Amino acid sequence: MTVVLGPTLETERLILRPPVAADLDGWAQLMGDPEAARFIGGRMARSPAWRMMAAVTGSWALQGFGMFSVVEKASGRWVGRVGPWRPEAWPGGELAWGLHPAFHGKGYAVEAAGAAMDWTVDHLGWDEVIHSIDPENHASKRVAERLGSRLLRMGRLPEPYHEKTLELWGQSADAWRARRARHT
């Protein structure tokens, strides 16, 4: 039995929907790849990846939002996860992303994050949206810049990630709306 915990969003090339059990293979591949997982919690085996996916899925039930699984329309393949994320003691309401390496370089991160940003601003009503980015993660900084975000401040995540200072990129909901209006 599959329970749908949130909306389904569509872009030209992608479908964004809450995670389902069938996403585990893609999720485990993403988190099992040392380079792909480097900035999103680090490489992990399948069972910890399942627990991470379950935590993201549980966020939908507990908070009414969470990261979406991203699926490529043309192939039906799992691309990655993108969306709003705000665990206990997080430094703000975050829009996060992590894509399987097979889908890097196609513009999917910006496309999916843009749709998720629209939904986050329009439906969650967040005044500010951040992206927690490791200073060495230049690819995510480029995605943030393409979304119109900028470096806001330095910050830290809660335990167990509290020892490393991160760059908190982001923008206000008003800035996002103004950008969206200019591009439509």
Side-chain angles (χ1 to χ4, degrees), residues 12-15 71-77 108:
E12 181 181 332
R13 302 178 295 165
L14 304 170
I15 297 169
V71 177
E72 186 180 50
K73 282 183 180 179
S75 68
R77 291 177 59 200
Y108 284 173

Side-chain angles (χ1 to χ4, degrees), residues 16-69:
L16 287 73
R17 56 156 175 73
V20 296
D23 297 337
L24 178 58
D25 286 343
W27 201 291
Q29 289 172 9
L30 172 67
M31 297 312 298
D33 183 294
E35 190 57 34
R38 178 178 173 201
F39 300 118
I40 56 173
R43 187 191 173 284
M44 59 183 66
R46 186 178 177 90
S47 66
W50 181 89
R51 288 190 292 277
M52 177 186 268
M53 187 178 87
V56 168
T57 304
S59 176
W60 281 100
L62 294 172
Q63 298 179 295
F65 63 87
M67 283 189 262
F68 295 94
S69 277

Side-chain angles (χ1 to χ4, degrees), residues 2 67 112 122 149 157 168:
T2 301
M67 283 189 262
D122 294 343
S149 293
L157 300 180
L168 300 179

Side-chain angles (χ1 to χ4, degrees), residues 7 9-12 16 68 82-84 95 109-126 129 131 147 171-184:
L9 312 178
E10 290 195 36
T11 69
E12 181 181 332
L16 287 73
F68 295 94
V82 173
L95 185 89
V110 174
E111 185 175 332
M117 184 76 119
D118 281 343
W119 186 82
T120 299
V121 167
D122 294 343
H123 295 277
L124 299 181
W126 291 0
V129 178
H131 322 292
L147 292 171
Q171 61 188 293
S172 70
D174 288 341
W176 176 256
R177 286 186 195 101
R179 178 181 175 77
R180 182 173 57 189
R182 286 192 307 271
H183 291 94
T184 53

